[in-house]
Each structure stands twice: as structure tokens, then as C-alpha cells.
Amino acid sequence: MITYPVLKKGSTIGVTAPSSGVPAELHELLTLACKRAEERGYSTVCKDTAWTQQKARSADAAIRAAEFNAMLRDENIDLIIPPWGGELLIEILDQLDFEAFPAKWVLGYSDISLLLLAITLKTGVATAHGTNLIDLRGESMDATTAQWEAVLSTKTGEQVVQEASEYYQAEWQHDNPSPYVFHLTEPTRWKTTESEPVHVTGRLLGGCIDTIRHVIGTPYGDVARFQQAMIQNEQLLWYLENCELSAADLRRSLVQMKLAGWFAHCAGIMFGRSAANHAVQGYTAEDVYQELADELRIPILYDIDCGHMPPQMTFVNGARATVDMAEGRAKVTQHFCP
């Protein structure tokens, strides 16, 4: 059974850095992001780790875990949004209080997706893969990013629909800020290994392959248990994104997931746009997608709105999603069923 938190206007956002914090020279970004949240009607509480960064982490694992656990227990904090991702979130997993996890949204992506996946697999509490706090510092939000509020406000038994973005960002221009942070210049076109149209339904799970692959075979990556105990053996619909892997490393990671049973009883897999996916001796990401589709006999969608080439949809781990795609356009309907 999946438990869905509910976002309400006027909620208090807890800001903690279970992976990387914000170094001193970039504090103005975090300050501005909190200011924008408050202008939109939220309160913010920024804890110590959000403001520190040294040796690829915001603080020691014990400090990060204790701060996150305290935010979970704090009834005055309604949802948790880390400033951004990072590198070493995996260090805190064995110190988190999964046994007493409340119905409280956690939203983020990149390294944070490992935390999100572990929470949902271990507890059945839905988590949200989408924008981080720093990327909400703009004067406004593009239509795709802005949907995070509608998605997180959806109640159990209801559904929420998102459309593919019109344009996406090819590269970051940090020295040339736009009103909504991103520079959306390239036409969005979802692609597939199948003949179109594509229609696929399954319970969402996913995240950044670079990080989530490292919990395969651990208590924090027990997908089979989740399927049996939490969703009564419904099919999964995976969404995955690649931050830094070459095509060959992507292939190795996906084969490992397959051998670990992560793709058993799977309806389909969706891959986000990636600036990585570097070809190896002519072996491309498109080759990887086609091989996986042939092996698993399922539809593969790629270049979707997910990951490090924004904007991105808000995907809820545990929700039942239906994806309809044709001619490069797509609609994602998420049903918040228990």
C-alpha cells in the first residue's frame, strides 16, 4: 500500500542537505530560492547543512542523517526540499529512521533520487522526483517545472496530468539568468524504440542511474519486496536518467539492474535527456535502448522530461502512471492509488 503526503498552501519547507550543501560563494542562490518560496506563500526553515560544503559533502554522514531525521520528526515542517543533489548521499542510508517515516513529501533529483527511491521501497511512502530548491529561485517558473505544486497537492484517489514540455535546455548559462532560471531553446521531442503511438501503464519507480544502481543487492534496493508487499505485484514503469555515464557504462548498469530483477514484471522504461551518453567505439545510447527493448520485450521511451537537462516533470515514486505518446508529444497521467 502506498501512502501519499498532501502539499497545502502555506506549508513550511524544510531545507537540509543530505548530499551536497551550498558553498559560501553560492549562498546568494539559496537565499534567493528561499525568498522566492516565501513570496509564493511558503515558509522556509534552512538547517546548518544547507549552508556548508567540504570534500564532496555538506557534512559528515552522521550529521546529515541526524538533521534529516530531525526534520522528519518536526511536525512544523511539512515537506523537505534539499538545495540540490551531490555525490555521497549513500553514506547516510543506514542511519535514517525508516521505521518511523511520516507522510511527508521529499522532493528532488540527481543524488537525491537515491534517497527518494530508498524511502519508497522501504516504507511505501510516496516521494517526488522533480525540481530542486535552487532551481526555484527564478522570478517565475516554466509550465513544466511549475507542475510540482499541482502534483504534490494531489490527494489519494485523485489523478494529475502533465504534458511534455515545449522546449528544453541544451546547456546551462549560469552567467545569463532568465526569469525562470533555465534557457529553454531546443524543441522537446520524446522518442521511442516502438512504433507510435505508445500507451503504457505501471507503478512509477526511478531516479539517476549513476546513484541508484549502488543499492542493488542491499536492503535499500529491494524492488521485489516492494512489488510484493506494497503494490500487490503490479507492473513497474521505470523512469531513469543518466548524469555522467558513457554508453558502455550505461549498458553495464542496466544489465546489472536486469540481473538483479529490477526489471522483472516491468511495463516499460523511460529515459531522460542526457548530456552524457557518450558513444564508445560507435556504441551509442540509442543502441543501448534498442537492445534493452529487444531483451525485455517492452517499450522504451527516451529523451523525456527528466533529469539534468531541464525542465522536468514531477514523477511520484509509487503512483500508478499512464503514458500516452505520439509524434514526439506525450501526456503522463499519475493516479494516486493506495
Side-chain angles (χ1 to χ4, degrees):
M1 183 172 179
I2 305 300
T3 302
Y4 300 92
V6 181
L7 174 67
K8 298 178 181 178
K9 272 297 184 183
S11 292
T12 297
I13 300 172
V15 185
T16 181
S19 184
S20 286
V22 180
E25 63 270 21
L26 296 178
H27 279 182
E28 63 184 55
L29 301 183
L30 181 53
T31 299
L32 183 56
C34 291
K35 177 185 176 184
R36 297 298 189 202
E38 290 164 5
E39 289 173 353
R40 293 173 183 134
Y42 299 99
S43 299
T44 59
V45 176
C46 280
K47 293 298 186 179
D48 292 344
T49 61
W51 303 99
T52 58
Q53 177 72 2
Q54 187 176 19
K55 292 187 180 294
R57 47 173 78 84
S58 64
D60 290 343
I63 294 173
R64 284 179 280 152
E67 192 174 272
F68 187 82
N69 286 333
M71 278 201 165
L72 289 178
R73 292 189 295 267
D74 188 341
E75 295 181 356
N76 295 314
I77 292 176
D78 303 298
L79 71 156
I80 298 172
I81 311 180
W84 47 29
E87 303 286 348
L88 295 171
L89 185 137
I90 196 169
E91 295 178 329
I92 75 169
L93 291 180
D94 63 347
Q95 301 178 56
L96 297 182
D97 189 8
F98 291 106
E99 299 302 319
F101 207 96
K104 183 177 294 190
W105 281 119
V106 184
L107 170 67
Y109 79 109
S110 193
D111 200 25
I112 302 303
S113 68
L114 175 55
L115 173 63
L116 305 177
L117 182 64
I119 290 169
T120 299
L121 291 180
K122 290 280 287 182
T123 71
V125 174
T127 51
H129 186 279
T131 185
N132 59 42
L133 188 71
I134 291 293
D135 289 341
L136 295 176
R137 70 185 185 277
E139 297 172 19
S140 58
M141 291 180 279
D142 65 274
T144 305
T145 303
Q147 284 290 97
W148 78 268
E149 291 181 287
V151 174
L152 270 58
S153 300
T154 304
K155 298 177 182 177
T156 300
E158 297 180 348
Q159 65 182 35
V160 60
V161 178
Q162 297 174 91
E163 303 277 352
S165 67
E166 294 291 335
Y167 294 91
Y168 72 92
Q169 176 178 280
E171 59 183 24
W172 292 95
Q173 300 179 39
H174 296 296
D175 57 348
N176 180 30
S178 76
Y180 39 76
V181 178
F182 308 131
H183 293 80
L184 308 176
T185 59
E186 309 303 311
T188 295
R189 184 174 180 83
W190 289 32
K191 301 171 185 174
T192 181
T193 57
E194 310 299 304
S195 58
E196 299 182 39
V198 176
H199 175 87
V200 60
T201 298
R203 293 278 189 157
L204 286 172
L205 282 180
C208 180
I209 300 176
D210 310 48
T211 61
I212 67 172
R213 60 182 176 164
H214 293 296
V215 293
I216 291 173
T218 75
Y220 310 100
D222 195 342
V223 173
R225 173 189 168 276
F226 171 81
Q227 280 189 289
Q228 294 165 10
M230 305 288 185
I231 60 170
Q232 294 73 53
N233 288 314
E234 285 190 54
Q235 286 187 303
L236 295 174
L237 177 55
W238 285 93
Y239 64 90
L240 301 168
E241 63 110 357
N242 173 15
C243 180
E244 297 177 335
L245 308 182
S246 70
D249 201 0
L250 176 65
R251 172 62 174 165
R252 285 192 294 268
S253 300
L254 291 167
V255 170
Q256 184 181 7
M257 292 176 182
K258 181 183 72 171
L259 296 176
W262 277 26
F263 301 144
H265 205 46
C266 176
I269 304 174
M270 304 185 290
F271 289 90
R273 294 178 291 264
S274 176
N277 284 343
H278 307 300
V280 177
Q281 299 175 14
Y283 183 57
T284 68
E286 289 76 14
D287 293 327
V288 174
Y289 302 150
Q290 189 61 60
E291 289 172 354
L292 192 63
D294 293 342
E295 291 165 359
L296 298 178
R297 299 181 183 276
I298 58 173
I300 303 292
L301 280 63
Y302 59 99
D303 288 359
I304 76 163
D305 292 300
C306 177
H308 287 75
M309 296 183 75
Q312 55 183 316
M313 290 183 172
T314 302
F315 289 128
V316 172
N317 288 317
R320 182 186 295 138
T322 297
V323 179
D324 291 288
M325 177 198 156
E327 298 180 352
R329 304 301 301 163
K331 179 177 73 173
V332 177
T333 303
Q334 295 182 81
H335 183 199
F336 283 19
C337 48

